[in-house]
Amino acid sequence: MDHRQDERHGDEGRRDRTDDHVARWLPVLPDLDPDIEGAVTRAKVLTDHLRRVKEQSLADFHLQSHEYDTLHALAGRGGRAAPSQLAADLRMPANSVTGRLDALARRGFVRRTPSPTDRRRVDVELTDEGRQAWLGAMDGVGHEEYRLLGALDKDERRLLSDLLRRVLLRAEEH
């Protein structure tokens, strides 16, 4: 077994704060399912942790969350999109996206260019500066995600992803 394998499986049997939380609540709520409480509490703690890491990474690159989200949506479309496409991706009114794009253009993160397919339309392009800011902020979060999920091997990560998909499909039914 290599060092990473030892490190990964060395956590089995160790207790985390959620174990203490569940133990504290079981006498109060005897019908509490410790596995459900443990999974939900761990998901919340993990989400909160990743949110804090993202906030720090954004601060390091002088980005606000809505700026990052807009750059991310634009990058996800290959670095060029119509404002209406970004509005749909961000699930917000087009006029709200216009304000965001104006601010990002002032910072040099995006530029407006005539659409190559429709001369009545203006597209938004990610500049090199915008791409660098987006990638820099994303790298901080991505590094932490890989660090955390490095506690699992490839098959375990796939299983976790599959299990979470089943739970989220249930959530999406409502």
Side-chain angles (χ1 to χ4, degrees):
M1 195 180 270
D2 70 25
H3 175 69
R4 287 178 308 171
Q5 198 79 350
D6 288 338
E7 193 175 287
R8 249 196 323 269
H9 294 289
D11 290 337
E12 291 175 14
R14 289 182 53 203
R15 294 178 56 83
D16 64 10
R17 291 181 183 176
T18 299
D19 292 316
D20 297 336
H21 163 84
V22 170
R24 185 172 47 254
W25 280 100
L26 273 173
V28 177
L29 300 169
D31 292 336
L32 181 72
D33 183 321
D35 293 326
I36 290 175
E37 183 67 16
V40 170
T41 302
R42 286 183 179 96
K44 182 185 181 325
V45 170
L46 181 59
T47 300
D48 290 347
H49 173 77
L50 289 173
R51 180 186 41 77
R52 285 189 302 275
V53 168
K54 180 181 179 185
E55 288 170 357
Q56 182 59 57
S57 189
L58 293 178
D60 291 346
F61 285 88
H62 309 289
L63 286 172
Q64 295 179 26
S65 185
H66 68 274
E67 292 174 318
Y68 173 83
D69 292 343
T70 306
L71 294 173
H72 190 72
L74 187 55
R77 288 196 168 267
R80 184 182 186 104
S84 60
Q85 292 172 311
L86 294 175
D89 291 346
L90 295 166
R91 296 184 177 129
M92 56 189 310
N95 62 344
S96 296
V97 170
T98 299
R100 285 186 181 193
L101 295 174
D102 289 345
L104 289 169
R106 284 191 297 275
R107 293 190 66 185
F109 290 162
V110 301
R111 69 176 151 262
R112 290 181 170 91
T113 58
S115 169
T117 58
D118 182 348
R119 64 184 180 164
R120 297 167 296 169
R121 193 177 86 193
V122 173
D123 285 345
V124 179
E125 273 186 282
L126 194 58
T127 64
D128 289 340
E129 294 84 4
R131 183 174 306 283
Q132 288 174 359
W134 166 71
L135 281 173
M138 192 175 67
D139 282 349
V141 176
H143 174 77
E144 184 64 0
E145 290 170 349
Y146 274 78
R147 185 184 78 80
L148 295 175
L149 291 172
L152 306 175
D153 65 32
K154 182 179 178 182
D155 291 337
E156 291 169 328
R157 288 191 302 269
R158 172 57 58 104
L159 177 60
L160 177 61
S161 181
D162 290 344
L163 293 171
L164 290 172
R165 178 184 303 107
R166 286 174 45 197
V167 172
L168 287 176
L169 286 170
R170 178 69 57 95
E172 290 172 357
E173 289 174 0
H174 289 294

